[in-house]
Amino acid sequence: MSQTTVTPNRSPVFSSSRLPRWAPAVIAVASLALSIGISLVAGWESKVQWGLIAALLFVIGSYAVTARIEGRRQAKDRVATSLVWVCFLLAVVPLLSLAWTTISNGAQVVDGYFLSHSMNGVLNSDPGGGVYHALLGTIEQVLIATVIAAPIGLLTAVYLVEYGKGKLARAVTFFVDVMTGIPSIVAGLFVLSFWILILGFSFSGFAGAMALAILMMPVVVRSTEEMLKLVPNELREASLALGVPKWKTITKIVIPTAIGGITTGVMLAVARITGETAPVLLLVFGSKIINGNPFEGAQSSLPLYVYQEYGIGTEQSIDRAWGAALTLIAFVMILNLVARGIARWKAPKTGR
Amino acid sequence: MAKRIDVSGLTAYYSTFKAIEDISMTVEPRSVTAFIGPSGCGKSTFLRTLNRMHEVTPGGRVEGKVMLDDENLYGSGVDPVTVRREVGMVFQRPNPFPTMSIFDNVAAGLRLNGSYKKSELNDVVEKSLRGANLWDEVKDRLNRPGSGLSGGQQQRLCIARAIAVEPKVLLMDEPCSALDPISTLAIEDLIGELKEHFTIVIVTHNMQQAARVSDRTAFFNLAAVGQPGKLIEIDDTERIFSNPSVQATEDYISGRFG
Ligand SMILES: Nc1ncnc2c1ncn2[C@@H]1O[C@H](COP(=O)(O)OP(=O)(O)OP(=O)(O)O)[C@@H](O)[C@H]1O
Ligand SMILES: [Mg+2]
């Protein structure tokens, strides 16, 4: 052959064969089906196991199929994407399942009566009763803890960011770090031994609130510190250059600029201590009746109520435990929404 | 209203690093003085020593004298806060307070210093915004956030904020370097008007700008990196740009180095 015909066979440079958009979905369904098949043959019962095998098959499958059709680089890209998806699902599934279990078990219990009555005179095996005393206790204890911890935490953070240099600042930072790691039961034991055993006060909501404040303070310091550091130095300088004293610069310029983030941080800390059980168990003691005075006598709180009702173990009390758990989650959720609202409302405005 | 600045033997440090050494100069009231020189030669540092902002930087330290008319800013018992009320400053990047409206930004200095009469506030804000050539652009939206303005408008807002407290001296550190030519022109015109009332010192990297706006020009230089910056010469702007007495100045201005 002297003359070969020239075939217009140049492959395009930029576009290559692509998987259709629905391909990942098909691979996902296929790997799920395969995983169930394998599990049934092997006799594995656990649905968790099915899911994990399906996830693994999905990642391997995406790589294989993509490498075949689109090329290796796209395949790696696809693997990264599917890993992100798998991790997302692994994180979301327990969360959804937790929310679902609580709502489905608790929704039938929570009603106006449940929220407005205490356990006074209700026997363990009786139906009825409510969480009013526990809700009241939680609100009071958390409020007191916040009133103690938020200002101290805020001022500490202001000190660390705006004034602190040298040894003292480093020492404070170190102790805040240590405090962050204090287990809640230790905070409870500390207040127990100091406030109740040594100083001789009795169990009260206030004692619990002090332990909660100890737990809350480092969280407030840390988050406030981060928020204050985000305030550009130029704003401080602009204010100082107008002849505004430093303390006024901090209170009128720096803190207002960061107030949205600070509020969010405080609210997250509040959400964290709202669910604490151990210190409340040690210091507030638990009570079946309404005690509106946090400074005297035993109170209850929502997590403690859940713990105690669940411990009793009758059908009715377990129902009540779920109802209280739902109330607790809803309470924290509402706090978070409020915090977000405040943060958005107070955030520095841009926009023309 | 404007005051004379008389600097003698001024040296400034960052911790142990000597950034500028032995600077002496006089700045006449109601004049514009431009500082030029290569990057890192200490123009900003020197400018910030003139209203005691240098010591806000951790480790910042100053030796020497700065006389404002006949008072030494570094004399014992002088409160830096009151110095800064007399000597205002505009920064390189516009930095309006993000939580405040346009009105509040201009009023911030008076409000935070607590030295104003409520009835006067509106007038002061209007006067300052007019002084900064911004009034017509913002008079319908004084309650909108200041950060919603364009970069050039924000910079003029910062100038309005600075002049609202009626300082005697206005320091400007590259006030136009983040702005487009039109906004730059607006601010240069403004500087020309402001010098009727204030003593103005401006740092700039733009030779034409220095030539356009200033009456006197100071050239700073440093011998080598890590060495302190020094004042090479200060003279009438025309002379500096036509016939400077030091060779290095001519080299720098004609672009042969720096
Ligand atoms: N915060 C600081 N800490 C330590 N050294 C600093 C600090 N700020 C500036 N310096 C040093 O001081 C010297 C002078 O800096 P300065 O900012 O005054 O220069 P400049 O002339 O304004 O430069 P440019 O034209 O780039 O703005 C430089 O060597 C710089 O590295
Ligand atoms: Mg500079």
Side-chain angles (χ1 to χ4, degrees), chain B residues 110-158:
Chain B
L110 292 178
R111 279 204 181 129
L112 295 181
N113 292 337
S115 56
Y116 70 101
K117 294 203 197 80
K118 272 222 165 62
S119 51
E120 288 173 356
L121 203 57
N122 284 325
D123 295 341
V124 171
V125 169
E126 178 172 346
K127 192 172 135 223
S128 309
L129 282 170
R130 281 192 194 280
N133 272 335
L134 190 61
W135 175 250
D136 290 328
E137 286 157 77
V138 301
K139 62 170 184 268
D140 309 322
R141 44 170 172 165
L142 290 174
N143 291 318
R144 309 299 308 277
S147 41
L149 298 172
S150 78
Q153 290 171 330
Q154 286 188 22
Q155 191 64 302
R156 277 179 282 152
L157 179 63
C158 293

Side-chain angles (χ1 to χ4, degrees), chain A residues 238-245 248-249 252-253, chain B residues 81 84-85 88 97 100-117 121 124-125 128 157-167:
Chain A
S239 173
L240 291 176
L242 287 174
V244 178
K248 245 182 183 168
T249 299
K252 301 284 175 156
I253 305 289
Chain B
V81 170
R84 293 178 200 135
R85 284 180 200 170
F97 299 130
M100 297 186 187
S101 67
I102 294 171
F103 185 95
D104 293 343
N105 259 287
V106 182
L110 292 178
R111 279 204 181 129
L112 295 181
N113 292 337
S115 56
Y116 70 101
K117 294 203 197 80
L121 203 57
V124 171
V125 169
S128 309
L157 179 63
C158 293
I159 294 177
R161 181 177 68 185
I163 60 181
V165 293
E166 304 197 326

